[in-house]
Amino acid sequence: MVSTRVDLVLVHGLFSSAKVWQAFEALIADDPELAGWVSVHTFQYDSPLIRLRPDRRVAETDDVADQLGTFLENGLPDAERIVLVTHSQGGLVVQRFLARKLWHGEGRELTRIKHFTMFACPNTGSGFFLTVRKALPLWRNPQERQLRPFDRAVTEAQRTVLSSVVHAREYSDQECPIPVLAYGGTADDVVPPVVARGVFPKGGVVTADHFSIVQPADRSAAAYQSVRRALIKVAEEARREPGEQVARAAADEPGQDGAATPEAAPRSTGGPGRSPAPGAGSVPEPRQQDVPGPRPGSAVPATPLLPDSVAFPPPPFGQLADGQLKGRDRLALVAHLLSEEARQHVHVVAGLGGSGKSRIALEAADRARRAGYRVWWVSPPELNLRMRMIARDLGAPSITVERAWLVGTAMDLVWTLLDDCPDPWLLIFDNADDPERLGPPDGPVSRGTGWLRTPKNANGTVLVTSRVRSRNAWGTAGRIHQVLPLDEVDGASMLLERTGGLGGTNEDARRLSRQLGGLPLALRQAADVIKAVHESRIRLDSDIRDFDTFRRVVEPGACAAPGQDGPHLGELLGREIVEKVCGIGMDLLTQHDLPQAATLLKVFACLSIAPIPYRHLLSGPALAESPLFTGAAGTLSPALKGLEELGLVDPYEHEDVPDLDLAGLLTLHPVVHGVLREDKEVRERPGDYYGLALRMVLAATHARNPDHPANWPLWAALSPHALEVARTCLLGDLKLNDRTVRTDALELARLTARYLIAAGLLSPAYALVLPLIECCDSYGFDCDDREILGLRHEHGRIHLDREQLGEAEEVLALVVAARTAILGENHADTLASRHKLARAINEQAGREGEAEVLLRSIVEAENQVRGPEHYDTLVVRHTLARTMLSLGTHREAEAEAREILAISRRDHWPPATPETLRVRETLTHALLAQDRAVEAEEVIVGALDDASQPQDSNLVMRLRYTYVLVLLGMRGRTPEAVNTLRALVHDLDRVVTSDHPLSLQARALLDRLREMPT
């Protein structure tokens, strides 16, 4: 039986001792779920404020790091699973320990460390000690020196920990994947939360100051819960190890439940072998059930991670397993892109489709990551969401991000953050074949004011891959690097290595490489076909057996004339070669009784080039109901495996995604994607192919309300595909005779717009709905058809969220009139539009009375249509309560708010639900208006305690402002209110611009309080 004992090692901070951990030790000892298998050890080191004896020195941080290594080696020689938890400088000690081990090639010695959590660690330096230094100019302490902002030794260690621990992909002498979390305290003025989080992508902020963060009062404290979860997770992973090893021995297929991940233990091989990179290997079989369960032991968070708080996904490093980058010119280009000379420039890697541009970018990304760069990989279909995630990754508070995306300053915000980033960074825009998508809304990309700009930061480099080579398209600032096809030597090398030498001689490989024009995509697919045939994974009566027979099967039109080195490749000929090779692969699958594989590939091509969460799409009923498949939904595993074996799809597993179905992704090469969309059968049967693609997305999102944050991870993954298939069906050149497909496309577009609006992505929502409304007659609909009215309703919502109240009222009034005429006044859709119209009116000064009449009639109708306790009914009632406040009917507003909260508790709404928190804010104002400040304080303090949103989010900042108003309403607490307001203004100044509405409101109140007589 495998032991599940976990050893917890606690490391104290500067000028502290092991006593700081007494609260943690006591809670763990009394925790019934941890008793018996968690052993607690405190690492004590010397950290005096000052050393008076001249014969003794204060230890350097490196000395303490080595002392920790000795402690772990000699004090815990038999420990199999170690969890490290640190406070303040202790985090820097552990980082230095990890980095020094890796620098010395001792990464394998770290494999028993399973988790590392830091509390209040000065990851970018503590400005607090600058004040102390000024007061004590002669004070010298080597440990304190490393707490200074941007200390070089700290930065070096962090780069190593980020690249070789946090983002490590395997267990080796130079890498060791360990989960790392960094937490800060809301009231910590020694190490503010933004400093404590630093560059580490995971962690959070808890309610505590610098010292109380590691002195939890009870087991419900957030800091204790985070350590507890880590201990339990490590133990659960240990219990799974035997089953995982058996599974690996039977079939080494990453992506199954027993797949190796950065958080799992290294595979026991009996030798120094390397573990496989996550994402390499076969496509995992889709499950028979509609919704597979989570990984055993995995923790699915009660509150989902939203796009603003999840870690930025890494580049598709799993594709590196395809083999080494070929071509001296390509290797030289990668080296140049990472040189000092390349910084502060935009580099466009341009070439034919299939020429290997993305592979060059991926090589650069991998080398940059290992060198300690921050790397962001952005695909155009996910552009807006990924740039928003970059803003958060660079430390922009939620309230700042929300405001920038609301008022249209997102591009400026992201580039301000990039130009201020102290670390070296590489930003990659992959497959940007439409340059204008990277430009500003009102001009070309060459203007340099959009998403694509020349870095002002000496640490920054921008890399773009594109088929567009025109200097006019990119502007004078872009440095264009043309990627040529591989020469026949490198092409032959690629063929021989990928087939394992099974395809023939070197000369045969050179001839095939020459015939295929040296295109890496065509070479890779040809090699995969030959290898599959040679290893008898595909049996058929085909002439294809090796390089020579494959060359003869390829249409002679692609061959070189005698005396030529190869065909003179242009975009059309390159595409023709890929088309022929791709066709050979699909023919082989059909001959091998896998005709569904080719059909499935064509359906995938109807989606976006963004990664496809195929498990979600294949688990629904759409496939079985399609004329393209006959009850085949449960038998597609062989088809998927066949597509992978022939190199027609690239599968990989997305790390750190708790939803197993969202973790499994596959991609099509853009050229293969384009070739298949022009396939004769696809063009002749667009209703079947595109109809199936959009119905798969609709089925995957069925009952997943796009307004609810719990569903946003799924919508974020599927929205690029929803946008693509909806636009193609409605605005493309397809000859769609099936009106049902267009109707489904409109419904998918409406739902996608709802998600984009709810997630704050207003620009892509606007870009989706407006053309569909304006061009509705081109695809056979009238502007007053109910399907188009749904889009017009979302158009009005966009104006409302942008605070364009006049425009919102104009749009929504027309929608209400049309919906009333078609559906009736009290239809659910009409009521939704009436509510949004009432909101637009209510938020215009002096029109509250008009809004109240509308809202009361809506509430009355909602009670009949949806019921008094339906979520939508309660949302309308809350708007009515806010209107009552504005009109001065405070008791009625209080009663309405209390009834809403009572229903929400009865229906088990989580206390942190944003709508619940807003109702509690309204109730607080209603109580304040009745001079009931004590009751108001209880309500608003409870709301602040329950809020799980980031402390710098707009919602939490508003709650804090309301708390200030409560304090001002209580006798004798004005000084406390002033101090609380000052802290709020300080935080607002840090995270938002001076013209932000809440900042203006808070600063004006502070100015009035200063003018009051004391």
Side-chain angles (χ1 to χ4, degrees):
M1 180 176 178
V2 176
S3 169
T4 56
R5 177 162 295 280
V6 178
D7 289 89
L8 172 64
V9 177
L10 305 171
V11 184
H12 65 78
L14 185 70
F15 315 143
S16 185
S17 70
K19 293 180 180 179
V20 76
W21 297 109
Q22 288 178 349
F24 256 104
E25 292 181 271
L27 290 174
I28 291 173
D30 294 338
D31 194 325
E33 290 193 47
L34 305 184
W37 57 272
V38 175
S39 299
V40 182
H41 315 269
T42 55
F43 171 63
Q44 174 77 50
Y45 62 94
D46 197 21
S47 182
L49 179 66
I50 190 168
R51 181 75 77 191
L52 297 177
R53 290 184 54 170
D55 61 328
R56 293 188 179 180
R57 62 188 283 270
V58 177
E60 301 274 353
T61 302
D62 281 353
D63 299 330
V64 181
D66 291 342
Q67 183 184 348
L68 174 62
T70 304
F71 173 82
L72 296 176
E73 183 177 351
N74 298 334
L76 300 172
D78 300 323
E80 298 178 4
R81 286 166 288 280
I82 296 174
V83 172
L84 297 173
V85 176
T86 66
H87 178 231
S88 192
Q89 180 194 242
L92 301 182
V93 170
V94 171
Q95 290 181 50
R96 198 70 179 171
F97 160 69
L98 297 173
R100 286 167 68 82
K101 280 287 189 183
L102 294 167
W103 293 338
H104 295 150
E106 300 171 349
R108 296 182 191 279
E109 297 180 14
L110 301 175
T111 55
R112 61 190 186 136
I113 298 175
K114 303 302 183 184
H115 198 94
F116 171 27
T117 292
M118 295 176 282
F119 290 110
C121 178
N123 282 307
T124 59
S126 173
F128 174 81
F129 288 101
L130 291 173
T131 306
V132 180
R133 269 175 239 119
K134 291 176 182 177
L136 300 171
L138 299 179
W139 183 41
R140 298 289 184 268
N141 187 299
Q143 295 176 13
E144 176 277 327
R145 281 200 300 271
Q146 293 206 341
L147 271 65
R148 299 177 185 178
F150 305 114
D151 178 83
R152 182 172 181 82
V154 172
T155 303
E156 289 174 351
Q158 283 183 352
R159 287 177 180 172
T160 300
V161 171
L162 277 172
S163 62
S164 301
V165 176
V166 176
H167 298 305
R169 295 184 295 116
E170 60 189 7
Y171 294 89
S172 68
D173 293 336
Q174 283 75 41
E175 282 189 299
C176 184
I178 301 171
V180 178
L181 302 180
Y183 289 92
T186 55
D188 191 341
D189 203 32
V190 177
V191 180
V194 67
V195 173
R197 293 295 305 279
V199 297
F200 292 95
K202 291 187 177 181
V205 179
V206 301
T207 304
D209 60 27
H210 187 68
F211 302 101
S212 65
I213 195 170
V214 290
Q215 296 168 351
D218 52 45
R219 290 205 298 267
S220 67
Y224 179 78
Q225 284 295 318
S226 68
V227 173
R228 188 175 185 274
R229 282 194 299 269
L231 293 168
I232 292 173
K233 183 175 183 180
V234 169
E236 288 175 340
E237 287 175 346
R239 296 186 189 106
R240 294 203 308 270
E241 284 174 9
E244 290 174 351
Q245 290 169 359
V246 171
R248 291 186 187 115
D252 185 11
E253 292 187 358
Q256 302 289 347
D257 285 352
T261 71
E263 297 187 3
R267 182 170 47 175
S268 175
T269 62
R274 299 162 76 96
S275 299
S282 301
V283 179
E285 295 189 4
R287 303 192 176 211
Q288 302 298 319
Q289 295 86 357
D290 285 352
V291 183
R295 291 183 179 90
S298 65
V300 181
T303 300
L305 293 175
L306 307 184
D308 277 0
S309 57
V310 297
F312 195 92
F317 288 128
Q319 295 177 15
L320 293 171
D322 283 347
Q324 294 183 336
L325 181 66
K326 298 297 181 184
R328 287 186 178 180
D329 54 339
R330 296 165 186 245
L331 292 169
L333 175 56
V334 170
H336 170 71
L337 292 171
L338 298 179
S339 67
E340 293 286 342
E341 177 190 351
R343 294 186 180 182
Q344 286 188 283
H345 290 288
V346 173
H347 299 269
V348 180
V349 176
L352 300 175
S355 61
K357 305 180 294 296
S358 296
R359 180 62 181 82
I360 292 171
L362 192 60
E363 185 76 19
D366 185 51
R367 295 190 187 185
R369 175 186 63 89
R370 294 174 184 273
Y373 283 56
R374 302 183 74 169
V375 179
W376 300 284
W377 184 283
V378 178
S379 177
E382 303 170 293
L383 178 63
N384 223 286
L385 176 61
R386 291 289 177 253
M387 300 309 286
R388 182 168 178 146
M389 293 176 73
I390 287 176
R392 291 292 285 138
D393 199 41
L394 286 166
S398 290
I399 190 171
T400 304
V401 174
E402 291 169 13
R403 189 67 184 172
W405 259 258
L406 178 67
V407 301
T409 58
M411 296 175 177
D412 292 336
L413 171 65
V414 171
W415 274 100
T416 297
L417 295 166
L418 286 169
D419 285 333
D420 288 342
C421 180
D423 304 311
W425 55 264
L426 176 64
L427 172 59
I428 300 170
F429 295 103
D430 186 43
N431 290 318
D433 294 330
D434 181 4
E436 299 312 309
R437 293 189 67 175
L438 302 181
D442 57 348
V445 68
S446 58
R447 184 179 294 176
T449 56
W451 291 123
L452 183 65
R453 305 185 186 187
T454 301
K456 298 176 182 177
N457 189 337
N459 293 321
T461 307
V462 178
L463 172 58
V464 182
T465 68
S466 177
R467 282 186 272 183
V468 178
R469 286 167 273 183
S470 168
R471 187 168 298 279
N472 292 333
W474 300 107
T476 56
R479 295 188 173 186
I480 298 177
H481 308 272
Q482 187 168 354
V483 177
L484 299 175
L486 293 172
D487 63 31
E488 63 181 59
V489 175
D490 288 322
S493 176
M494 183 177 177
L495 286 168
L496 289 164
E497 290 178 12
R498 195 166 179 87
T499 59
L502 299 176
T505 67
N506 184 62
E507 287 303 318
D508 291 338
R510 290 178 69 149
R511 282 193 289 271
L512 179 56
S513 173
R514 185 166 61 245
Q515 177 142 359
L516 295 180
L519 281 176
L521 175 61
L523 293 169
R524 189 187 75 170
Q525 292 181 345
D528 288 345
V529 167
I530 293 167
K531 187 176 181 180
V533 171
H534 192 91
E535 293 182 346
S536 300
R537 293 200 300 264
I538 291 190
R539 301 178 179 88
L540 66 163
D541 298 327
S542 169
D543 292 334
I544 294 179
R545 290 292 181 272
D546 50 27
F547 299 140
D548 188 55
T549 51
F550 191 100
R551 179 175 58 84
R552 295 176 186 175
V553 171
V554 177
E555 185 172 308
C559 295
Q564 286 185 339
D565 291 336
H568 179 70
L569 278 184
E571 190 69 44
L572 289 178
L573 184 52
R575 182 185 176 98
E576 181 183 341
I577 291 173
V578 172
E579 184 177 1
K580 294 300 178 185
V581 174
C582 183
I584 290 171
M586 290 195 294
D587 288 345
L588 291 180
L589 290 170
T590 300
Q591 294 178 40
H592 189 51
D593 296 327
L594 290 175
Q596 296 164 346
T599 304
L600 184 61
L601 186 63
K602 294 173 186 177
V603 173
F604 284 154
C606 296
L607 300 168
S608 167
I609 62 170
I612 300 171
Y614 63 93
R615 291 175 186 149
H616 269 291
L617 295 178
L618 300 185
S619 63
L623 279 167
E625 296 170 356
S626 169
L628 298 174
F629 296 88
T630 305
T635 60
L636 290 177
S637 288
L640 285 170
K641 288 185 179 294
L643 292 173
E644 184 207 357
E645 287 177 353
L646 298 186
L648 295 169
V649 297
D650 290 311
Y652 65 96
E653 291 290 307
H654 197 318
E655 300 174 15
D656 304 321
V657 176
D659 182 350
L660 180 62
D661 285 355
L662 279 182
L665 302 169
L666 62 81
T667 60
L668 277 68
H669 191 283
V671 177
V672 174
H673 182 271
V675 164
L676 292 174
R677 295 187 85 157
E678 297 301 321
D679 178 83
K680 181 180 179 182
E681 186 178 13
V682 174
R683 300 298 294 183
E684 289 178 349
R685 302 177 63 185
D688 290 336
Y689 279 95
Y690 284 92
L692 175 56
L694 71 86
R695 283 163 186 154
M696 286 165 62
V697 179
L698 279 170
T701 56
H702 178 67
R704 298 294 192 96
N705 190 326
D707 295 329
H708 292 178
N711 299 321
W712 287 358
L714 174 64
W715 275 101
L718 289 175
S719 60
H721 305 291
L723 289 168
E724 177 67 23
V725 71
R727 283 172 172 151
T728 304
C729 288
L730 297 171
L731 302 177
D733 61 352
L734 299 178
K735 297 179 180 179
L736 276 172
N737 297 320
D738 189 346
R739 187 177 177 86
T740 305
V741 173
R742 294 198 192 99
T743 303
D744 288 342
L746 285 168
E747 176 62 8
L748 182 57
R750 184 185 69 83
L751 292 171
T752 306
R754 280 178 58 187
Y755 155 69
L756 294 171
I757 294 168
L761 301 171
L762 300 182
S763 292
Y766 188 81
L768 168 64
V769 302
L770 193 61
L772 295 179
I773 295 169
E774 292 179 340
C775 300
C776 62
D777 59 337
S778 69
Y779 51 86
F781 283 79
D782 184 81
C783 65
D784 282 340
D785 284 339
R786 65 186 66 194
E787 296 83 359
I788 306 302
L789 287 172
L791 296 178
R792 291 171 62 188
H793 172 85
E794 304 306 329
H795 183 206
R797 286 184 62 199
I798 294 169
H799 283 305
L800 186 59
D801 283 9
R802 282 179 168 171
E803 301 171 12
Q804 299 166 335
L805 302 179
E807 292 90 336
E809 181 182 358
E810 181 180 355
V811 170
L812 291 167
L814 293 172
V815 173
V816 167
R819 278 184 160 175
T820 300
I822 297 171
L823 305 172
E825 184 179 28
N826 292 334
H827 187 277
D829 290 346
T830 308
L831 290 173
S833 295
R834 289 174 63 192
H835 175 222
K836 298 302 180 186
L837 174 61
R839 271 191 56 198
I841 293 172
N842 185 54
E843 293 179 23
Q844 298 179 53
R847 300 185 65 186
E848 293 85 359
E850 183 181 348
E852 183 190 19
V853 174
L854 287 172
L855 288 165
R856 288 190 182 279
S857 67
I858 297 168
V859 169
E860 183 180 348
E862 288 281 16
N863 286 334
Q864 299 299 319
V865 175
R866 289 190 173 102
E869 297 193 4
H870 189 277
Y871 178 85
D872 289 346
T873 305
L874 297 180
V875 171
V876 181
R877 291 179 65 181
H878 181 212
T879 305
L880 177 59
R882 289 167 53 201
T883 305
M884 294 172 184
L885 269 180
S886 300
L887 293 171
T889 53
H890 304 133
R891 286 188 178 278
E892 199 172 351
E894 176 195 350
E896 193 73 26
R898 288 194 185 280
E899 190 171 350
I900 294 170
L901 291 173
I903 293 171
S904 71
R905 284 190 294 270
R906 215 164 41 238
D907 293 346
H908 305 292
W909 293 11
T913 302
E915 187 65 21
T916 302
L917 295 174
R918 294 188 188 102
V919 175
R920 289 157 86 177
E921 180 188 16
T922 300
L923 176 57
T924 302
H925 285 289
L927 293 169
L928 269 181
Q930 300 174 66
D931 296 324
R932 295 157 64 188
V934 174
E935 295 174 68
E937 182 182 26
E938 182 181 354
V939 173
I940 196 64
V941 168
L944 282 166
D945 287 343
D946 289 337
S948 63
Q949 290 77 8
Q951 292 299 303
D952 56 18
S953 67
N954 186 64
L955 177 56
V956 174
M957 291 281 198
R958 288 191 58 83
L959 294 176
R960 289 174 62 187
Y961 180 77
T962 302
Y963 179 54
V964 171
L965 300 180
V966 170
L967 293 176
L968 288 173
M970 304 178 76
R971 179 172 296 179
R973 300 186 68 177
T974 299
E976 182 183 351
V978 172
N979 289 334
T980 305
L981 182 57
R982 280 178 180 153
L984 175 60
V985 169
H986 174 76
D987 289 345
L988 286 167
D989 287 345
R990 178 174 56 84
V991 301
V992 299
T993 57
S994 59
D995 61 347
H996 188 281
L998 184 57
S999 180
L1000 293 172
Q1001 201 172 7
R1003 187 169 291 283
L1005 178 59
L1006 183 59
D1007 291 340
R1008 288 200 301 272
L1009 292 174
R1010 285 171 178 161
E1011 295 171 0
M1012 289 175 62
T1014 57

